[in-house]
Amino acid sequence: MARHRSHSVEFKRQVAQEFLSGETLHALAKRHDISRQLIRIWVEKYEAGALDDDARAADLIQEYEARIAALERLVGKQALELEFLKGALRDAPRPRSVDTSVITGPARCRSREDVG
């Protein structure tokens, strides 16, 4: 049964450079245990600059994954803070004599000037 392996862009570039420097397809295929046709494809991509595009895309993916991980950590931290604050609000003593509103908070106490 055929094996399906994934090779890094650096490995593909290395094999293509070895071929272009004069090594035979047969020797490369045998040493790296890959098909000669695959080496031909990699050499064509190398000469066309496609392996460089693949390397840039791989770098961009790594950059995005790092950014996503940082954002996920931030979201987790904020979720913990939110839960802590909800708990603190729930457990806080409420004055019984003052009307409160979720939006405006406690009603303003009337001063002596307002009364008189």
Side-chain angles (χ1 to χ4, degrees):
M1 183 172 270
R3 294 176 288 169
H4 179 74
R5 293 181 291 176
S6 178
H7 300 282
S8 71
V9 175
E10 290 303 317
F11 177 74
K12 293 174 186 179
R13 187 179 292 130
Q14 173 195 339
V15 171
Q17 288 171 344
E18 288 174 3
F19 174 76
L20 293 173
S21 67
E23 190 141 1
T24 65
L25 276 175
H26 181 73
L28 281 171
K30 190 171 185 176
R31 181 162 26 108
H32 295 295
D33 191 28
I34 53 179
S35 73
R36 290 178 292 200
Q37 182 58 32
L38 187 56
I39 295 171
R40 285 186 192 105
I41 292 169
W42 291 350
V43 169
E44 287 176 19
K45 284 186 172 186
Y46 179 79
E47 290 176 333
L51 291 181
D52 295 332
D53 294 339
D54 291 346
R56 280 191 291 276
D59 291 343
L60 189 60
I61 287 171
Q62 274 186 325
E63 187 179 314
Y64 286 159
E65 287 174 344
R67 181 73 177 140
I68 288 169
L71 290 172
E72 286 174 341
R73 285 191 300 275
L74 180 62
V75 167
K77 180 182 174 187
Q78 289 177 339
L80 286 173
E81 290 174 356
L82 186 60
E83 288 303 313
F84 172 77
L85 293 173
K86 283 181 182 178
L89 183 62
R90 184 175 46 246
D91 297 338
R94 289 186 176 73
R96 301 263 179 207
S97 62
V98 178
D99 292 332
T100 60
S101 167
V102 173
I103 297 172
T104 60
R108 195 179 110 199
C109 294
R110 294 172 39 170
S111 67
R112 289 184 189 177
E113 295 169 2
D114 292 340
V115 176

